Amino acid sequence: MRGKRRLPDTLLFHRCHPGKSRLLEIAVKADNPGFPIWVSDAHPFPPAPETHVSQPQDQSPAPAAPATTPSGLEKARRDKLEKLRGLGIDPWGKRYDGATPIAEVRGTGAAIDPSPEFTAGPTVRVAGRIMLLRSAGSLVFIDLHDRTGRIQIMLGKKQVGPDAWKIIDCLDLGDLVGFDGRLGHSKTGEMTVFASGIEFLTKSLETPPDKYHGLVDADLRQRMRYLDLIHGEGVRDRFVARCRIVEAVRRVLSSRGYLEVEGPTLQESAGGAAARPFKTHHNALDMPLVLRIALELHLKRLLVGGMERVFELGRVYRNEGVSPRHNPEFTMMEAYEAYGDYFTMMDLTEAIFVEAAKAAGTPTRFEWMGHTVDLTPPFRRAKYDDLIAEVTGCNPADPASVAAEATARGIETAGRHADVIKSDLFEATVEKTLSGPAFVIDYPAAICPLTKRKADAPHIAERFELYVAGIELANAYTELNDPDLQEELFRTQLAGLAQEESMARMDTDFIRSLRHGMPPAGGLGIGIDRLVMFLTAAPSIRDVILFPIHRPHAEG
């Protein structure tokens, strides 16, 4: 091995040197055939800090050159698994009561004397995953992580005893371990649990990602979300924030008297939105079914039944493309309030966004997608037609003027309904200008078949969409409760509107329910995934869905 030297008593692992284009081959424990035992002279390795990565030391003689293939690395871990069994230890662990979250332990440690001479710290119990490991003769330092944070563990051979010390020889990065010990600070000032006992909880048989390269491929991170959660910077925090946001949404609605209900996921016909459904078949009943594309129509049936404030928070499915804003399976919240209207829903939307931001730890004013956002209510309110006039200069009340502007911008107009053309013009020109949060109100009636018309302007629908950074985050109506008009609109296919973008789908039972009398109402829909994107500054919807859909994985 030209240009390489043996590093006796140096116990490190394969890693990429910062600023270099190739991996270092770094010495590790001599009896571990799963790791290299050399370091290239071209890139001398710096002295290891107290929490640097390594493997435990062993004084046994070095074998022949070890294998560094994936199968060799796994074999090394399986050898340790068998060694644990030989010691009478279950490598898959058992119940481990009394472990304190690491964040809570660190809070306790912040109140004690930080000097290394202080030895009267409290006894604590912690459990988590080994993320860093370093041996220094009769001492071993471990960086232990749980869902709340990280803390250093120091193990001394004298302190844990010879039997427990045998377990340390079987440790690998990624193993789950529990420790009892005294809380204090090391000589370098690092908060440390000085272990007096060790409990092996689970063996990790797979080698973790490289410390410096890590999981950099977005597709791989999403396919292997479990590794992304372990090793991705801030990933776990984002999904914890998602949980807090969902809790906040429920809290606001519950505080206002809304009841959470559950509608059917399998339906005879897809309604309540303009989208292509996923189709399936019920074998026992020998009938075609679709997965729901919205929650709306069944929730409105409940208004008819006297459940005057209801909401559902659940999955919906749309057989459409994938983009940074779209996933075929996503989470929607829809809420309906009898005797309300779309202004009622504006107030509710503001309350939900403000409370969700607090729950996520998001400041009132922040940057997202290149836009400065201020969540201080009330949010801006702007009319649909006014925005078109402001951005394009055309006259939105004149179909010819709108069509001319659309043609100039490359939008097809021939044989298409005037409101469809106007909608395309709005999407192409206005949406991207909306930094928000901004309620865009009063939409063209023809493209809103489930919405009540304004009494003094029947060509206008009482609808709003909430935009931030050019992205729609909420949609609300004053709900249409006229059964005859609703039936007519269900039968109307607008010229130039693609079938999958149309709501022209008859639901005869829904019409029947309206004939029994649905109270005037306001309705609101919020895409939870986009809300989480917004409040956690995520650039893609796939970053806030734990398991987004992927093409089949191609081996190699």
Side-chain angles (χ1 to χ4, degrees):
M1 290 189 177
R2 184 176 59 85
K4 296 181 180 180
R5 58 186 173 86
R6 183 73 177 272
L7 293 185
D9 301 324
T10 301
L11 308 169
L12 299 167
F13 83 122
H14 229 149
R15 79 168 215 179
C16 180
H17 194 288
K20 302 298 180 181
S21 60
R22 65 181 188 272
L23 293 176
L24 296 176
E25 290 180 288
I26 301 171
V28 297
K29 53 174 290 194
D31 71 342
N32 185 342
F35 289 89
I37 58 172
W38 300 95
V39 171
S40 167
D41 283 334
H43 308 301
F45 193 79
E50 207 166 62
T51 56
H52 209 80
V53 181
S54 83
Q55 298 293 322
Q57 187 172 7
D58 193 288
Q59 301 301 321
S60 55
T68 59
T69 62
S71 59
L73 297 174
E74 182 180 343
K75 181 180 182 302
R77 288 175 175 256
R78 289 190 175 275
D79 287 345
K80 293 180 181 180
L81 178 127
E82 294 306 319
K83 189 172 181 179
L84 285 167
R85 287 176 172 153
L87 294 172
I89 296 170
D90 181 358
W92 310 117
K94 60 181 183 295
R95 178 171 174 169
Y96 190 66
D97 292 329
T100 303
I102 286 175
E104 188 176 325
V105 171
R106 294 193 71 89
T108 300
I112 66 175
D113 188 331
S115 66
E117 291 78 17
F118 180 75
T119 59
T123 298
V124 297
R125 167 172 281 198
V126 292
R129 189 179 296 275
I130 297 175
M131 299 299 287
L132 299 173
L133 182 69
R134 179 175 77 85
S135 174
S138 60
L139 293 178
V140 169
F141 295 92
I142 287 173
D143 215 11
L144 193 74
H145 289 217
D146 72 0
R147 65 183 176 84
T148 68
R150 60 158 293 277
I151 197 164
Q152 178 170 268
I153 311 293
M154 191 185 87
L155 300 108
K157 190 170 186 179
K158 292 181 179 178
Q159 287 73 25
V160 300
D163 292 338
W165 195 252
K166 294 176 183 177
I167 299 175
I168 295 169
D169 187 44
C170 301
L171 298 180
D172 281 305
L173 298 180
D175 289 350
L176 296 167
V177 191
F179 297 98
D180 292 301
R182 174 182 60 83
L183 186 61
H185 292 79
S186 69
K187 293 180 179 178
T188 61
E190 176 80 9
M191 190 179 297
T192 301
V193 175
F194 297 90
S196 56
I198 179 172
E199 182 83 14
F200 200 92
L201 298 175
T202 298
K203 187 66 187 168
S204 173
L205 297 179
E206 289 278 351
T207 304
D210 175 82
K211 179 174 183 281
Y212 287 93
H213 286 160
L215 288 172
V216 295
D217 181 80
D219 182 78
L220 187 62
R221 287 173 45 228
Q222 293 155 9
R223 288 180 188 273
M224 304 174 72
R225 184 67 83 189
Y226 44 91
L227 283 184
D228 194 28
L229 288 166
I230 294 171
H231 300 282
E233 185 70 30
V235 174
R236 188 184 301 144
D237 293 340
R238 175 170 286 150
F239 285 104
V240 170
R242 179 185 176 114
C243 296
R244 301 290 178 258
I245 289 167
V246 170
E247 290 170 358
V249 172
R250 285 192 164 104
R251 186 163 57 248
V252 170
L253 290 164
S254 177
S255 71
R256 294 179 177 224
Y258 285 80
L259 300 174
E260 184 170 8
V261 298
E262 295 173 308
T265 301
L266 291 171
Q267 301 178 357
E268 293 184 58
S269 62
R276 181 189 298 126
F278 287 94
K279 299 178 181 180
T280 186
H281 186 85
H282 192 294
N283 291 334
L285 298 178
D286 190 23
M287 61 185 292
L289 293 171
V290 296
L291 291 175
R292 65 184 177 188
I293 59 172
L295 313 176
E296 181 166 346
L297 301 187
H298 285 86
L299 291 177
K300 287 182 178 179
R301 285 171 167 92
L302 298 181
L303 293 184
V304 174
M307 300 181 71
E308 295 176 348
R309 295 190 181 193
V310 293
F311 79 97
E312 182 172 3
L313 205 159
R315 291 294 222 192
V316 294
Y317 310 87
R318 298 182 181 179
N319 197 352
E320 300 170 340
V322 175
S323 80
R325 304 182 190 181
H326 301 89
N327 193 67
E329 176 186 14
F330 61 98
T331 303
M332 176 69 74
M333 189 287 296
E334 291 194 28
Y336 294 85
E337 180 175 334
Y339 314 117
D341 64 4
Y342 70 144
F343 289 108
T344 308
M345 296 298 107
M346 288 185 208
D347 296 339
L348 178 61
T349 302
E350 288 174 345
I352 286 174
F353 272 62
V354 170
E355 184 67 19
K358 290 178 182 177
T362 303
T364 301
R365 186 179 176 88
F366 61 98
E367 297 288 325
W368 186 54
M369 307 290 281
H371 297 263
T372 299
V373 176
D374 189 341
L375 288 177
T376 305
F379 300 166
R380 177 192 178 196
R381 301 178 184 189
K383 291 185 177 181
Y384 187 95
D385 279 3
D386 290 348
L387 289 170
I388 289 180
E390 177 185 321
V391 173
T392 69
C394 74
N395 179 5
D398 178 5
S401 177
V402 172
E405 183 67 24
T407 299
R409 295 176 181 272
I411 297 171
E412 181 62 43
T413 61
R416 307 182 77 210
H417 191 283
D419 283 355
V420 174
I421 297 171
K422 185 187 286 190
S423 175
D424 286 351
L425 181 63
F426 180 89
E427 291 181 7
T429 61
V430 177
E431 284 186 0
K432 60 189 176 184
T433 69
L434 299 171
S435 291
F439 290 118
V440 178
I441 66 173
D442 297 348
Y443 276 63
I447 63 172
C448 308
L450 293 163
T451 310
K452 181 169 283 189
R453 278 69 179 129
K454 296 184 81 69
D456 57 349
H459 64 288
I460 297 295
E462 293 189 352
R463 172 188 180 183
F464 77 72
E465 290 187 337
L466 176 67
Y467 281 88
V468 180
I471 299 175
E472 176 213 331
L473 297 183
N475 185 18
Y477 310 149
T478 299
E479 300 298 337
L480 179 62
N481 60 344
D482 177 343
D484 294 336
L485 178 56
Q486 185 64 84
E487 182 173 6
E488 176 188 336
L489 294 174
F490 272 163
R491 298 185 186 280
T492 302
Q493 172 63 38
L494 296 182
L497 190 65
Q499 182 64 41
E500 62 269 16
E501 297 176 8
S502 173
M503 293 192 200
R505 298 185 179 96
M506 181 58 62
D507 186 329
T508 55
D509 181 70
F510 176 65
I511 297 297
R512 184 184 300 115
S513 74
L514 292 184
R515 289 181 182 140
H516 285 276
M518 187 184 88
L524 168 67
I526 296 176
I528 296 298
D529 309 292
R530 289 190 183 179
L531 176 61
V532 177
M533 281 178 64
F534 170 52
L535 294 179
T536 63
S540 169
I541 196 170
R542 298 165 76 82
D543 291 328
V544 300
I545 296 176
L546 279 168
F547 302 104
I549 196 166
H550 291 272
R551 293 182 185 275
H553 181 63
E555 293 296 331

